[in-house]
Amino acid sequence: MTVYLNTRFIKKSEATISIEDRGFIFGDGVYEVWRIVNGQLFEHARHLARLERGLRELRITPPAEATRDGLLAIAERLIEDNDLCEGEGTLYLEITRGVAPRTHHFPATAPAPTVFAFVNRFVPPEELRARGATATMLPDVRWLRCDIKTIQLLPNVMAKQQAQERGAVEAILIRDGVVTEGSHSNVMAVLDGELRTHEANNLILRGITRDVLLEIAQAEGIAVREEAILESDLGRVSELFVTGTTTDVTPIIRVDDRQIGTGTPGPIAKRLYALLRERMGAGARQAVSATG
Ligand code: PDD
């Protein structure tokens, strides 16, 4: 497997970073995950815009890789070298503040950011998407800047692990009585005929899939409201689903012991999933280029 690290394309086994990397020491960095479909990055521009915003918020000087062309060049080479021109995959990109002796404050002279990227094959679990999945509710114990896609994911990791131990595919996080999002996905519900999801503020990561689905829903004439679903409303929702780059639209048919809706994937989730897949596949089968 070929990976990218600090301007070089190298074998995964040869990729090493410094023990003084601030990503390693402090989780001081950001990341992105793109879906690759037949060699193309899905919604490239939106992921890049979110990455740029994250770097700005953390005051990390954007490296050359965090540009449209810089990123496409890396993606193209990784996709080719790792045999991902056909089928589906993901591109992971991480940028940390770089290497410096450990101090909490930023180094006086900004080090060159560490830039690391790799691709993986991804086969969407169609059967799970069709059958529906179970989720578990957990308290959202994260910080108040969930809008930045930082590599500090320990609360997300702990929540997902707990979900797994309970036999659930995702943890639905609750803060102050409202559903914020999942451990690695956004949460949507259908309530009183409206598609509802948490507003894009500091309490959630504004998912690219979320935004694309809201656009699709509006174009389909589905009423959309960006307002949090209350924990106490979960018993009344007719549909619940989680969304994300590796989650697509996954219907949730049970939350802990509570059945959601009819206990089967609902019509809006199914329709949105079909339309999302259509949009992902559109115009594919060329060399790497941006779709967004
Ligand atoms: N996670 N919320 C959180 C906390 C996430 O980690 C993710 C994605 C999303 C959905 O965002 P998007 O639609 O842009 O993928 C929402 C990625 C896939 C991950 O950590 O692997």
Side-chain angles (χ1 to χ4, degrees), residues 31-33 47 50 92 142 146 149 153 156 170 173 181-187 204-211 243-247:
Y31 76 106
E32 262 307 325
V33 185
H47 283 275
R50 185 169 66 186
Y92 176 91
R142 298 173 302 162
C146 300
K149 201 165 170 63
L153 289 173
N156 308 62
E170 181 56 304
L173 304 176
E181 60 181 333
S183 73
H184 65 298
S185 61
N186 291 113
V187 178
I204 67 158
L205 182 78
R206 180 173 184 172
I208 306 303
T209 320
R210 169 195 183 277
D211 284 3
T243 73
T245 295
T246 51
T247 308

Short mmCIF file of all heavy atoms in Angstrom, two decimals, residues 31-33 47 50 92 142 146 149 153 156 170 173 181-187 204-211 243-247, ligand 1:
data_model
loop_
_atom_site.label_atom_id
_atom_site.label_comp_id
_atom_site.label_asym_id
_atom_site.label_seq_id
_atom_site.Cartn_x
_atom_site.Cartn_y
_atom_site.Cartn_z
N TYR A 31 -8.61 16.57 10.16
CA TYR A 31 -8.61 15.51 9.15
C TYR A 31 -9.85 15.65 8.28
O TYR A 31 -10.78 16.39 8.61
CB TYR A 31 -8.54 14.12 9.79
CG TYR A 31 -9.85 13.63 10.40
CD1 TYR A 31 -10.61 12.64 9.77
CD2 TYR A 31 -10.34 14.17 11.58
CE1 TYR A 31 -11.80 12.19 10.32
CE2 TYR A 31 -11.53 13.72 12.13
CZ TYR A 31 -12.26 12.73 11.51
OH TYR A 31 -13.44 12.30 12.04
N GLU A 32 -9.84 14.92 7.18
CA GLU A 32 -11.00 14.84 6.30
C GLU A 32 -11.11 13.42 5.76
O GLU A 32 -10.10 12.72 5.65
CB GLU A 32 -10.86 15.79 5.09
CG GLU A 32 -11.56 17.12 5.21
CD GLU A 32 -13.04 17.06 5.56
OE1 GLU A 32 -13.75 16.12 5.12
OE2 GLU A 32 -13.49 17.95 6.29
N VAL A 33 -12.30 13.02 5.43
CA VAL A 33 -12.52 11.73 4.76
C VAL A 33 -13.43 11.97 3.56
O VAL A 33 -14.54 12.49 3.72
CB VAL A 33 -13.18 10.69 5.69
CG1 VAL A 33 -13.28 9.34 4.98
CG2 VAL A 33 -12.43 10.55 7.01
N HIS A 47 -15.59 19.23 0.95
CA HIS A 47 -14.67 18.69 1.95
C HIS A 47 -13.46 19.61 2.12
O HIS A 47 -13.00 19.86 3.23
CB HIS A 47 -14.20 17.29 1.54
CG HIS A 47 -15.22 16.22 1.80
ND1 HIS A 47 -15.36 15.60 3.02
CD2 HIS A 47 -16.14 15.66 1.00
CE1 HIS A 47 -16.33 14.71 2.95
NE2 HIS A 47 -16.83 14.71 1.74
N ARG A 50 -14.32 22.64 4.14
CA ARG A 50 -14.40 22.34 5.58
C ARG A 50 -12.99 22.20 6.17
O ARG A 50 -12.73 22.66 7.29
CB ARG A 50 -15.23 21.07 5.80
CG ARG A 50 -15.46 20.78 7.27
CD ARG A 50 -16.49 19.68 7.48
NE ARG A 50 -16.03 18.39 6.99
CZ ARG A 50 -16.78 17.30 6.94
NH1 ARG A 50 -18.03 17.34 7.37
NH2 ARG A 50 -16.29 16.16 6.48
N TYR A 92 -8.36 9.43 3.20
CA TYR A 92 -8.18 10.06 4.52
C TYR A 92 -7.03 11.04 4.41
O TYR A 92 -5.97 10.68 3.88
CB TYR A 92 -7.87 8.98 5.56
CG TYR A 92 -7.57 9.52 6.94
CD1 TYR A 92 -8.58 9.68 7.88
CD2 TYR A 92 -6.26 9.85 7.32
CE1 TYR A 92 -8.31 10.18 9.15
CE2 TYR A 92 -5.98 10.35 8.59
CZ TYR A 92 -7.01 10.51 9.50
OH TYR A 92 -6.74 11.01 10.76
N ARG A 142 -18.57 15.66 24.59
CA ARG A 142 -17.49 16.31 23.85
C ARG A 142 -17.37 17.80 24.18
O ARG A 142 -18.24 18.38 24.81
CB ARG A 142 -17.73 16.12 22.34
CG ARG A 142 -17.72 14.66 21.93
CD ARG A 142 -18.13 14.48 20.49
NE ARG A 142 -19.46 15.04 20.25
CZ ARG A 142 -19.93 15.34 19.05
NH1 ARG A 142 -19.18 15.14 17.99
NH2 ARG A 142 -21.14 15.83 18.92
N CYS A 146 -17.47 21.08 18.28
CA CYS A 146 -17.64 19.87 17.48
C CYS A 146 -17.73 20.19 15.98
O CYS A 146 -17.71 19.29 15.15
CB CYS A 146 -18.90 19.12 17.93
SG CYS A 146 -18.82 18.64 19.64
N LYS A 149 -13.35 19.54 12.53
CA LYS A 149 -13.09 18.10 12.37
C LYS A 149 -11.68 17.79 12.85
O LYS A 149 -10.76 17.57 12.06
CB LYS A 149 -13.29 17.71 10.89
CG LYS A 149 -13.55 16.23 10.68
CD LYS A 149 -14.09 15.98 9.28
CE LYS A 149 -14.15 14.52 8.91
NZ LYS A 149 -15.04 13.71 9.73
N LEU A 153 -10.47 12.46 18.84
CA LEU A 153 -11.76 11.78 18.69
C LEU A 153 -12.07 10.85 19.86
O LEU A 153 -12.89 9.95 19.73
CB LEU A 153 -11.78 11.01 17.37
CG LEU A 153 -11.86 11.88 16.10
CD1 LEU A 153 -11.70 11.03 14.86
CD2 LEU A 153 -13.18 12.64 16.04
N ASN A 156 -15.63 10.26 20.81
CA ASN A 156 -16.30 9.55 19.72
C ASN A 156 -15.90 8.07 19.73
O ASN A 156 -16.74 7.18 19.53
CB ASN A 156 -15.92 10.16 18.37
CG ASN A 156 -16.13 11.66 18.34
OD1 ASN A 156 -15.51 12.40 19.11
ND2 ASN A 156 -17.00 12.14 17.49
N GLU A 170 -24.31 2.38 15.88
CA GLU A 170 -23.94 3.77 16.11
C GLU A 170 -24.45 4.23 17.47
O GLU A 170 -25.44 3.71 18.00
CB GLU A 170 -24.52 4.66 15.00
CG GLU A 170 -24.21 6.15 15.06
CD GLU A 170 -22.72 6.53 15.11
OE1 GLU A 170 -22.01 6.06 16.03
OE2 GLU A 170 -22.28 7.34 14.25
N LEU A 173 -25.90 10.64 20.21
CA LEU A 173 -25.42 11.43 21.35
C LEU A 173 -26.45 12.47 21.77
O LEU A 173 -27.07 13.13 20.93
CB LEU A 173 -24.10 12.11 20.97
CG LEU A 173 -23.00 11.15 20.49
CD1 LEU A 173 -21.75 11.93 20.06
CD2 LEU A 173 -22.63 10.14 21.58
N GLU A 181 -25.69 14.41 17.37
CA GLU A 181 -25.30 13.64 16.19
C GLU A 181 -24.85 12.26 16.63
O GLU A 181 -25.04 11.89 17.79
CB GLU A 181 -24.21 14.37 15.41
CG GLU A 181 -22.95 14.63 16.19
CD GLU A 181 -21.88 15.39 15.41
OE1 GLU A 181 -21.85 15.31 14.18
OE2 GLU A 181 -21.06 16.06 16.05
N GLY A 182 -24.26 11.50 15.71
CA GLY A 182 -23.73 10.19 16.06
C GLY A 182 -22.24 10.29 16.36
O GLY A 182 -21.65 11.37 16.24
N SER A 183 -21.63 9.15 16.73
CA SER A 183 -20.20 9.19 17.05
C SER A 183 -19.37 9.50 15.81
O SER A 183 -18.29 10.07 15.91
CB SER A 183 -19.75 7.87 17.67
OG SER A 183 -19.69 6.84 16.69
N HIS A 184 -19.88 9.12 14.64
CA HIS A 184 -19.16 9.43 13.39
C HIS A 184 -20.14 9.68 12.25
O HIS A 184 -19.87 9.37 11.10
CB HIS A 184 -18.17 8.31 13.04
CG HIS A 184 -18.82 7.00 12.71
ND1 HIS A 184 -19.59 6.31 13.61
CD2 HIS A 184 -18.82 6.28 11.58
CE1 HIS A 184 -20.03 5.21 13.03
NE2 HIS A 184 -19.58 5.16 11.80
N SER A 185 -21.30 10.23 12.61
CA SER A 185 -22.34 10.47 11.61
C SER A 185 -23.27 11.57 12.11
O SER A 185 -23.25 11.91 13.30
CB SER A 185 -23.14 9.19 11.39
OG SER A 185 -23.78 8.80 12.60
N ASN A 186 -24.07 12.12 11.21
CA ASN A 186 -25.15 13.02 11.62
C ASN A 186 -26.43 12.22 11.76
O ASN A 186 -26.56 11.13 11.21
CB ASN A 186 -25.33 14.14 10.58
CG ASN A 186 -24.16 15.10 10.57
OD1 ASN A 186 -23.42 15.18 9.61
ND2 ASN A 186 -23.98 15.84 11.65
N VAL A 187 -27.38 12.78 12.52
CA VAL A 187 -28.64 12.09 12.76
C VAL A 187 -29.77 12.90 12.12
O VAL A 187 -29.83 14.11 12.28
CB VAL A 187 -28.90 11.93 14.28
CG1 VAL A 187 -30.25 11.25 14.52
CG2 VAL A 187 -27.79 11.12 14.93
N ILE A 204 -22.31 20.29 16.51
CA ILE A 204 -22.19 19.13 15.60
C ILE A 204 -21.15 19.41 14.53
O ILE A 204 -20.80 20.57 14.26
CB ILE A 204 -23.53 18.81 14.87
CG1 ILE A 204 -23.94 19.92 13.90
CG2 ILE A 204 -24.63 18.49 15.86
CD1 ILE A 204 -24.89 19.46 12.81
N LEU A 205 -20.69 18.32 13.91
CA LEU A 205 -19.90 18.47 12.69
C LEU A 205 -20.90 18.62 11.55
O LEU A 205 -21.80 17.78 11.40
CB LEU A 205 -19.02 17.25 12.45
CG LEU A 205 -18.16 17.44 11.20
CD1 LEU A 205 -16.96 18.34 11.50
CD2 LEU A 205 -17.70 16.12 10.64
N ARG A 206 -20.74 19.68 10.78
CA ARG A 206 -21.65 19.89 9.65
C ARG A 206 -21.26 18.93 8.53
O ARG A 206 -20.34 19.20 7.76
CB ARG A 206 -21.55 21.34 9.18
CG ARG A 206 -22.45 21.64 8.04
CD ARG A 206 -22.43 23.12 7.73
NE ARG A 206 -23.38 23.39 6.68
CZ ARG A 206 -23.70 24.60 6.29
NH1 ARG A 206 -23.15 25.64 6.87
NH2 ARG A 206 -24.57 24.79 5.33
N GLY A 207 -21.94 17.79 8.49
CA GLY A 207 -21.57 16.74 7.55
C GLY A 207 -21.81 17.15 6.10
O GLY A 207 -22.80 17.82 5.80
N ILE A 208 -20.91 16.73 5.24
CA ILE A 208 -21.09 17.00 3.81
C ILE A 208 -22.29 16.18 3.32
O ILE A 208 -23.13 16.67 2.56
CB ILE A 208 -19.82 16.62 3.02
CG1 ILE A 208 -18.56 17.31 3.60
CG2 ILE A 208 -20.00 16.93 1.53
CD1 ILE A 208 -18.60 18.81 3.69
N THR A 209 -22.39 14.95 3.79
CA THR A 209 -23.52 14.10 3.41
C THR A 209 -24.83 14.73 3.88
O THR A 209 -25.83 14.74 3.16
CB THR A 209 -23.37 12.69 4.03
OG1 THR A 209 -22.00 12.31 3.94
CG2 THR A 209 -24.24 11.68 3.33
N ARG A 210 -24.82 15.25 5.09
CA ARG A 210 -25.99 15.96 5.65
C ARG A 210 -26.43 17.07 4.70
O ARG A 210 -27.60 17.16 4.33
CB ARG A 210 -25.61 16.55 7.02
CG ARG A 210 -26.59 17.53 7.63
CD ARG A 210 -25.89 18.28 8.78
NE ARG A 210 -26.78 19.20 9.46
CZ ARG A 210 -27.05 20.43 9.03
NH1 ARG A 210 -26.52 20.88 7.92
NH2 ARG A 210 -27.86 21.20 9.74
N ASP A 211 -25.48 17.90 4.30
CA ASP A 211 -25.83 19.05 3.46
C ASP A 211 -26.34 18.59 2.09
O ASP A 211 -27.30 19.15 1.56
CB ASP A 211 -24.62 19.98 3.29
CG ASP A 211 -24.37 20.81 4.55
OD1 ASP A 211 -25.09 20.63 5.54
OD2 ASP A 211 -23.45 21.64 4.53
N THR A 243 -26.25 9.59 8.84
CA THR A 243 -25.70 9.91 7.53
C THR A 243 -24.21 10.26 7.66
O THR A 243 -23.78 10.78 8.68
CB THR A 243 -26.44 11.12 6.91
OG1 THR A 243 -26.05 12.32 7.60
CG2 THR A 243 -27.95 10.96 6.98
N GLY A 244 -23.46 9.98 6.61
CA GLY A 244 -22.04 10.32 6.62
C GLY A 244 -21.33 9.72 5.43
O GLY A 244 -21.91 8.92 4.68
N THR A 245 -20.07 10.08 5.29
CA THR A 245 -19.28 9.66 4.13
C THR A 245 -19.15 8.14 4.05
O THR A 245 -19.12 7.58 2.96
CB THR A 245 -17.88 10.33 4.22
OG1 THR A 245 -18.08 11.74 4.09
CG2 THR A 245 -16.94 9.85 3.14
N THR A 246 -19.05 7.47 5.19
CA THR A 246 -18.97 6.02 5.17
C THR A 246 -20.28 5.39 5.70
O THR A 246 -20.38 4.18 5.83
CB THR A 246 -17.79 5.52 6.04
OG1 THR A 246 -17.88 6.15 7.32
CG2 THR A 246 -16.46 5.89 5.40
N THR A 247 -21.25 6.23 5.98
CA THR A 247 -22.52 5.76 6.54
C THR A 247 -23.64 5.87 5.51
O THR A 247 -24.65 5.17 5.60
CB THR A 247 -22.89 6.64 7.78
OG1 THR A 247 -21.77 6.66 8.67
CG2 THR A 247 -24.09 6.11 8.52
N1 PDD B 1 -16.91 11.06 10.10
N2 PDD B 1 -20.38 13.83 12.57
C1 PDD B 1 -19.22 13.29 12.98
C2 PDD B 1 -18.85 13.38 14.42
C3 PDD B 1 -18.38 12.64 12.05
O1 PDD B 1 -17.22 12.11 12.46
C4 PDD B 1 -18.79 12.53 10.69
C5 PDD B 1 -17.95 11.86 9.65
C6 PDD B 1 -20.02 13.11 10.33
C7 PDD B 1 -20.52 13.08 8.90
O2 PDD B 1 -19.79 13.95 8.10
P1 PDD B 1 -19.61 13.69 6.54
O3 PDD B 1 -20.96 13.51 5.96
O4 PDD B 1 -18.93 14.91 6.04
O5 PDD B 1 -18.77 12.44 6.39
C8 PDD B 1 -20.78 13.76 11.28
C9 PDD B 1 -15.91 10.51 9.20
C10 PDD B 1 -16.46 9.78 8.04
C11 PDD B 1 -14.91 9.70 10.00
O6 PDD B 1 -14.56 10.16 11.08
O7 PDD B 1 -14.45 8.64 9.56
#
